[in-house]
Amino acid sequence: MQQLEFFAIPSPCIGVCQSGPRGYCKGCFRSREERLHWLDIDDQTKRIIVKACSRRKQSWLRKQAESKPQHSAGEQQDLF
């Protein structure tokens, strides 16, 4: 049985509106086409886009965590 949706799918925009190196917005992780056509697409497609944005953000966060230098336990970290 499919759940009924009573509310419109809101835009995932957080007002950061800058394109990253792969063309996705640095704030909401939507592609240029996804941002441009948001108001014209149906709710099912919006749900798919929101899930894709979530996966893109998780991937980006993992890459950011992997690229940070790891400090050894005996090494003092910079305070500033």
Side-chain angles (χ1 to χ4, degrees):
M1 179 187 254
Q2 186 176 10
Q3 179 178 343
L4 296 175
E5 296 290 336
F6 296 105
F7 303 103
I9 308 298
S11 167
C13 180
I14 61 168
V16 174
C17 305
Q18 295 177 7
S19 289
R22 297 188 70 198
Y24 295 110
C25 177
K26 290 181 177 183
C28 66
F29 294 89
R30 288 182 293 171
S31 70
R32 183 175 189 271
E33 292 296 315
E34 291 166 345
R35 293 189 313 266
L36 285 174
H37 300 291
W38 185 259
L39 297 176
D40 300 324
I41 57 177
D42 60 273
D43 284 352
Q44 181 61 30
T45 304
K46 287 179 181 179
R47 282 187 204 90
I48 292 167
I49 292 170
V50 168
K51 287 178 184 178
C53 291
S54 178
R55 286 192 307 270
R56 292 171 192 151
K57 182 176 182 177
Q58 292 305 315
S59 175
W60 181 82
L61 289 171
R62 275 192 304 274
K63 288 177 185 174
Q64 294 300 308
E66 291 170 0
S67 68
K68 286 185 179 180
Q70 300 295 324
H71 296 286
S72 64
E75 189 176 319
Q76 183 175 354
Q77 296 181 9
D78 188 11
L79 298 176
F80 301 99

